[in-house]
C-alpha cells in the first residue's frame, strides 16, 4: 500500500501527455516530409492515374487509421494483452507463412513481405514486432524461475524464434529479423536471464549474423557497398552515396522545405527507408538532431514507465514497456545508421515518420500500449484497481 497511500494525494495526470504529444508531433512531421519526398515520384506516375498528392493522401489515411487503432489498443487492459499474447504471436506466425504462399503473398522488388487486401497491403512483419514484445514478456514472466537454465528457460524460446526467423529470411526481411531478435533477447535479459548465458548467446548470434551475410550474395554486396560507397557509386553504393550527398547539401539548416534535389529520382525509396536523408537535405542537421533527441526521449520514457511498473511489481507490464522502448530505439538507430552510412543498407523504415501503413499502425498501437502501462501505473499509485 506504500504507493497508493503515499501518492494518492499527488496531482498525477491520467497518462503521460508529453509522450502522446511527442508521438503526434512526429506523425505530423512525417505527413509533411512524406509529401515533400514523394511529390516527384507521384507526378511521374500520373500515367497510372496518380496525382501529386497520391502519397500524401494515403499516408494521411494511414496515420488516421493508426491513431484510431491506437485509441482502441489503449482501452485494452494489460491483463488482456497478456492473455492474448500467445494467440497474437500464433496469428502473426500464420500471416508470415501466408506471405510465402504463391498467389497470396505480394512481391515487390524481389521481396515477398505483403498480403494484398485490395485497397491496402498488409505487412505482417511490422505487427509481428509488437506480438513478439507481448509474447516474450509473457514467456519471461511465466518462466521466471527457469531464466538461469539454458534448457528450460531459453531453448523453448529459441526454437520458436528460429521458426519466425526462418519465415522472415525466406521473404527476405533481414532488417525485421534483426529487430525482432534484439527485442526477444533484450526482454529475456531484462527478465532475469543469467548474464554469462546471455553473453554466450550474443556471441553465437553475432556469428550467426555474419554467416547469414556471407551466405547471401546480395547481403554481402550491401556490406561491401556500405564500407566504401564511392567505389561503386552507380551500383552497390548508389543509395548510400546519394543519401550522403543529401546530408552534405543540407548543412546546418537545410536548403528549404520542398527544395531537395536528391528526391528527384536520385535517391531511391526517398519517402520510406531514406526519408531522413530528405529531411537532412531540406531541414538540415538541426532537424536531424531534433529527431534523434525525440527518439531518445521516447525510449527513455518507455524505460521510465517500465521501471515504475517494476517497482509496482507489475512484471509483465514492465517488460512490455521496456520491449517497446527497445523496438523503437533499435529500429530508429538502424534507420539513422543506414541513412548516415554507419550501418549497411537495410529495409527498415523510420518509426512514426516514414511512409507505410502497416508500420504506422503497428507503431501507433505500441505507443498506445505503452501509454496504457503508464495509465495503469498511475491508477495503482492512486489506490485504484485496474
Amino acid at each position: 500500500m506504500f504507493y497508493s497511500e503515499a501518492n494518492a494525494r499527488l496531482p498525477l495526470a491520467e497518462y503521460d501527455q508529453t509522450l502522446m504529444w511527442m508521438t503526434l508531433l512526429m506523425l505530423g512531421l512525417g505527413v509533411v516530409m512524406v509529401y515533400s519526398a514523394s511529390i516527384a515520384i507521384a507526378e511521374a506516375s500520373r500515367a497510372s492515374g496518380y496525382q501529386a498528392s497520391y502519397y500524401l493522401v494515403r499516408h494521411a489515411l494511414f496515420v488516421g487509421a493508426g491513431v484510431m487503432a491506437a485509441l482502441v489498443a489503449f482501452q485494452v487492459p494489460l491483463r488482456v494483452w497478456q492473455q492474448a499474447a500467445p494467440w497474437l504471436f500464433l496469428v502473426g506466425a500464420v500471416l508470415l507463412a501466408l506471405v510465402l504462399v504463391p498467389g497470396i503473398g505480394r512481391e515487390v522488388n524481389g521481396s515477398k513481405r505483403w498480403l494484398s487486401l485490395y485497397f491496402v497491403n498488409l505487412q505482417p512483419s511490422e505487427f509481428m514486432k509488437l506480438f513478439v514484445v507481448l509474447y516474450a514478456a509473457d514467456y519471461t514472466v511465466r518462466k521466471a524461475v527457469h531464466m538461469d537454465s539454458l534448457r528450460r528457460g531459453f531453448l523453448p524460446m529459441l526454437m520458436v524464434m528460429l521458426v519466425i526467423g526462418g519465415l522472415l529470411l525466406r521473404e527476405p526481411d533481414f532488417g525485421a529479423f534483426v529487430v525482432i531478435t534484439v527485442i526477444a533477447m533484450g526482454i529475456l535479459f531484462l527478465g532475469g536471464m543469467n548474464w554469462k548465458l546471455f553473453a554466450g548467446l550474443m556471441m553465437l548470434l553475432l556469428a550467426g549474423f555474419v554467416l547469414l551475410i556471407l551466405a547471401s550474395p546480395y547481403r554481402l554486396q550491401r556490406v561491401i557497398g556500405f564500407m566504401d560507397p564511392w567505389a561503386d557509386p552507380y551500383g552497390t553504393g548508389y543509395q548510400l552515396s546519394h543519401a550522403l550527398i543529401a546530408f552534405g547539401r543540407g548543412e546546418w539548416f537545410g536548403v528549404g522545405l520542398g527544395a531537395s534535389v536528391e528526391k528527384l529520382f536520385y535517391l531511391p525509396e526517398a519517402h520510406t527507408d531514406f526519408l531522413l536523408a530528405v529531411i537532412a537535405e531540406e531541414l538540415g542537421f538541426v532537424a536531424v538532431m531534433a529527431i534523434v533527441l525525440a527518439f531518445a526521449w521516447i525510449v527513455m520514457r518507455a524505460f521510465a514507465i517500465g521501471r515504475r511498473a517494476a517497482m509496482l511489481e507489475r512484471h509483465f507490464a514492465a517488460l512490455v514497456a521496456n520491449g517497446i522502448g527497445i523496438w523503437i530505439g533499435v529500429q530508429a538507430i538502424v534507420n539513422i545508421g543506414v541513412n548516415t552510412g554507419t550501418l549497411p543498407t537495410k529495409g527498415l523504415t523510420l518509426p512514426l515518420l516514414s511512409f507505410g501503413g502497416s508500420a504506422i499502425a503497428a507503431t501507433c498501437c505500441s505507443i498506445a500500449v505503452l501509454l496504457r502501462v503508464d495509465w495503469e501505473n498511475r491508477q495503482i499509485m492512486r489506490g485504484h484497481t485496474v
Side-chain angles (χ1 to χ4, degrees), residues 13 37 41 46 111 184 193 222 244 276 316 326 328 343 362 367 386:
I41 188 173
R46 282 190 173 182
S111 298
M193 177 181 286
R222 283 188 171 186
L244 295 176
L276 188 68
F316 173 76
I326 292 171
I328 294 176
L343 289 174
I367 296 293
V386 294

Side-chain angles (χ1 to χ4, degrees), residues 173-256:
D173 194 348
F174 188 68
F177 171 67
V178 171
V179 172
I180 285 174
T181 301
V182 173
I183 290 171
M185 291 298 296
I187 290 177
L188 288 174
F189 177 71
L190 293 173
M193 177 181 286
N194 182 280
W195 72 269
K196 293 181 180 179
L197 175 60
F198 179 80
L201 292 171
M202 287 301 297
M203 296 299 294
L204 289 175
L205 279 176
L206 290 174
F209 286 147
V210 171
L211 289 175
L212 285 172
I213 292 171
L214 295 176
S216 175
Y218 91 93
R219 292 193 194 108
L220 185 58
Q221 288 177 359
R222 283 188 171 186
V223 172
I224 294 173
F226 142 76
M227 294 175 67
D228 187 6
W230 306 110
D232 188 12
Y234 298 105
T236 57
Y238 183 80
Q239 288 178 307
L240 179 54
S241 61
H242 281 281
L244 295 176
I245 290 171
F247 272 86
R249 291 192 75 246
E251 297 184 351
W252 283 98
F253 300 104
V255 296

Side-chain angles (χ1 to χ4, degrees), residues 29-43 52 55-56 257-279 281-282 353-355:
L29 176 63
V31 171
V32 173
M33 294 312 304
V34 164
Y35 181 42
S36 177
S38 64
I39 291 176
I41 188 173
E43 289 185 336
Y55 290 100
L56 168 65
L257 182 62
S260 168
V261 172
E262 288 301 315
K263 69 183 181 185
L264 303 177
F265 309 106
Y266 294 105
L267 183 62
E269 310 297 338
H271 59 304
T272 55
D273 299 356
F274 285 90
L275 182 66
L276 188 68
V278 177
I279 294 174
E281 185 178 3
E282 295 189 350
L353 293 170
S354 294
F355 178 84

